[in-house]
């Protein structure tokens, strides 16, 4: 077991070196960068498509989408109005690594204000890999049940913002977003929390307002 | 990248050796073994609790529950009537490995007919690790959206059975279980599919009937 841990440590150290270089390059370009993570099916792509529709008139948004297979999410986000959208198909790997981001950033157009990295749907491994982002966001869906923050504390602690999505299903599920929020704050009391329904638009103004503020902030 | 792949190959080979030994031991004990995998929040624990309630009068069921953190699922399943329930807390690792199962099997009581391994909630990594089981089951929830089979083909191909859960939410989600089924069969045409709602009980007789038949079958 100890051998495995050492190997992982080496990979993580290499990742951190590349992430630091990326962070430096993002700052030079005055590019705000978000790394958004969630379990499969929490609604990342739908939330991002709605976000892009609201903001693409004002902000030039780039998207890097990670997936094990398929490339249709990048197409959806380009159709929604992303200035640049690229898919990283990891061919089975369960998380994005800084080296993958560095490789595709060579293709990124100059004219970007905001880069959103949509990580692989996985509540474990992506939490360990710094991608050079400014802000790390966790997207939880009400449909997952309120026990998830305590079951995946590494992810909930790795993020500074939490979006609780699919709030339109509160009644059908008999789960309250407020209860999800309480559980999340027990695991990470510093979380800033948004509650959204990408389907009905509920809470999207607050979320998009915050995203826009990142672009205006200093990095 | 190639170095990483080699390391992973070595870990997987070691896992396969232990899994083969486990499978041999399970056969000697005439123990039917199911490895059940899903994304976080698909409803594994609720489905298993309802399954155990229906079957524990007839079958002596053991449960091994994997989680990154917390141990409350094992307690829930013991309360539901499992003869033996043990939690493996992986301390951050994103999947169960055969060596972990072998270690806890030393604690298993003789009088078991069925062992259910509830894997970590993750649609990627657990698919690569044989745990010596007879049957590998994927639990998908309607709430995840019907694009998941194509996005996580490794998992859908690693399993021979699929349970489509949370069918009670068909109307609230405007997603049909039949459409999820079609997408899954495109990725793995050999899948045998159950459709359940652990909440309303819909489809639970078919699912539990199949589980009971495993115990009576030869391994």
């Amino acid at each position: 077991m100890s051998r495995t841990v050492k190997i992982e440590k080496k990979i993580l150290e290499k990742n951190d070196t590349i992430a630091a270089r990326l962070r430096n390059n993002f700052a030079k370009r005055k590019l705000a960068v978000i790394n958004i993570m969630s379990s499969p099916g929490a609604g990342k792509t739908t939330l991002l498509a709605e976000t892009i529709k609201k903001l693409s008139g004002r902000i030039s948004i780039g998207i890097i989408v990670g997936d094990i297979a398929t490339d249709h999410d990048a197409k959806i986000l380009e159709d929604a109005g992303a200035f640049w959208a690229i898919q990283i198909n990891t061919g089975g790997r369960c998380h994005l690594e800084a080296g993958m981001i560095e490789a595709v950033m060579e293709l990124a157009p100059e004219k970007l204000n905001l880069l959103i990295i949509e990580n692989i749907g996985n509540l474990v491994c992506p939490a360990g890999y710094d991608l050079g982002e400014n802000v790390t966001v966790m997207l939880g869906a009400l449909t997952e049940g309120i026990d998830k923050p305590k079951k995946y504390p590494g992810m909930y602690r790795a993020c500074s913002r939490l979006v609780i999505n699919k709030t339109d299903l509160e009644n059908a599920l008999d789960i309250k977003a407020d209860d999800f929020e309480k559980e999340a704050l027990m695991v990470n009391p510093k979380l800033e929390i948004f509650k959204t329904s990408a389907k009905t638009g509920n809470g999207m103004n607050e979320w998009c307002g915050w995203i826009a503020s990142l672009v205006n902030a200093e990095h």
Side-chain angles (χ1 to χ4, degrees), chain A residues 73-158:
Chain A
D73 284 357
K75 284 178 199 150
I76 290 169
L77 297 171
E78 201 157 28
D79 290 347
F83 185 75
W84 178 65
I86 192 160
Q87 185 97 25
I88 297 179
N89 193 310
T90 64
R93 290 184 81 80
C94 56
H95 58 273
L96 293 177
E97 293 179 16
M100 302 175 189
I101 304 299
E102 196 170 50
V104 297
M105 278 309 291
E106 297 199 7
L107 307 170
E110 270 306 308
K111 197 201 134 192
L112 285 182
N113 316 121
L114 173 69
L115 176 69
I116 302 177
I117 303 169
E118 186 187 327
N119 218 312
I120 306 273
N122 179 340
L123 287 191
V124 192
C125 320
Y129 291 82
D130 183 1
L131 304 180
E133 70 271 15
N134 305 109
V135 197
T136 309
V137 176
M138 160 72 205
L139 175 65
L142 219 54
T143 45
E144 294 166 19
I146 65 169
D147 58 343
K148 293 307 162 297
K150 283 190 184 142
K151 291 180 86 169
Y152 297 89
M155 179 58 83
Y156 276 81
R157 286 184 192 130

Side-chain angles (χ1 to χ4, degrees), chain A residues 138-201:
Chain A
M138 160 72 205
L139 175 65
L142 219 54
T143 45
E144 294 166 19
I146 65 169
D147 58 343
K148 293 307 162 297
K150 283 190 184 142
K151 291 180 86 169
Y152 297 89
M155 179 58 83
Y156 276 81
R157 286 184 192 130
C159 293
S160 64
R161 303 305 190 283
L162 168 66
V163 182
I164 302 173
N165 197 26
K166 305 199 185 182
T167 55
D168 56 289
L169 292 171
E170 270 197 332
N171 290 336
L173 294 165
D174 201 18
I175 295 178
K176 298 281 162 258
D178 287 350
D179 292 330
F180 199 119
E181 179 174 21
K182 276 178 209 158
E183 290 293 309
L185 288 172
M186 276 191 244
V187 174
N188 180 356
K190 290 182 182 168
L191 276 174
E192 283 183 38
I193 297 175
F194 300 92
K195 292 171 198 162
T196 60
S197 165
K199 199 171 168 185
T200 66

